[in-house]
Amino acid sequence: MNKRMFIDFANLKRMAEQSAAVTQSCSCSDAQALAWRQIPLTLELDQFEEVGTLVADPYAEPAFKEYHPAGTRLQSDDAPIAPRYYPANLSQVLRCVKCSRLYLRYTEGGGYFTEVRLRALRPQLLVDAPL
């Protein structure tokens, strides 16, 4: 069984800062995944490798509460990334194998569908907000 490595806030912040420092052009950054969005058809999941998870306890019932103190929405480019809140609390951290930029990925599930969503890990949006 492959156990996913949990990434705490301090390490997530450090990783996000390293990702933000990447300057090379790449199809992953061209996708403009600033807000949570369906993975664009121009990208394939095999372009990314999983480096860890923000799921603190895979056996605990996750919180579905969102964190938007400034009135943003899940689809807002400037919505905070609060690891204890939905959907970050259900996310894996992915690294682009071409350029090393980091992204968050989670699977949105509805009544009749599932959709893999992606968002760039941007350090200026990270918030260590308690539940």
Side-chain angles (χ1 to χ4, degrees):
M1 183 168 91
N2 182 13
K3 183 171 164 84
R4 294 177 170 168
M5 181 186 78
F6 174 70
I7 300 171
D8 64 18
F9 188 82
N11 283 317
L12 185 66
K13 182 82 167 173
R14 179 186 50 77
M15 293 167 71
E17 289 166 353
Q18 290 173 346
S19 179
V22 175
T23 58
Q24 86 179 63
S25 62
C26 183
S27 60
C28 75
S29 63
D30 293 343
Q32 294 294 310
L34 301 178
W36 288 108
R37 63 180 290 194
Q38 182 179 9
I39 293 184
L41 298 175
T42 57
L43 297 178
E44 296 187 22
L45 278 177
D46 62 359
Q47 181 174 335
F48 301 95
E49 63 184 356
E50 187 175 315
V51 295
T53 184
L54 299 183
V55 178
D57 181 353
Y59 302 106
E61 184 68 30
F64 287 98
K65 182 177 180 182
E66 296 180 25
Y67 183 76
H68 300 285
T72 56
R73 297 173 21 120
L74 188 68
Q75 300 83 4
S76 302
D77 287 354
D78 61 343
I81 299 171
R84 292 180 188 93
Y85 288 81
Y86 179 82
N89 63 341
L90 298 177
S91 297
Q92 287 72 49
V93 178
L94 304 181
R95 176 184 295 121
C96 175
V97 297
K98 296 179 182 178
C99 72
S100 295
R101 282 184 181 87
L102 295 173
Y103 294 85
L104 299 177
R105 176 196 68 206
Y106 85 102
T107 303
E108 176 69 35
Y112 298 101
F113 75 96
T114 59
E115 179 179 274
V116 177
R117 294 190 180 174
L118 191 73
R119 184 174 190 196
L121 182 58
R122 296 165 47 208
Q124 68 272 28
L125 297 177
L126 284 171
V127 180
D128 192 14
L131 271 175

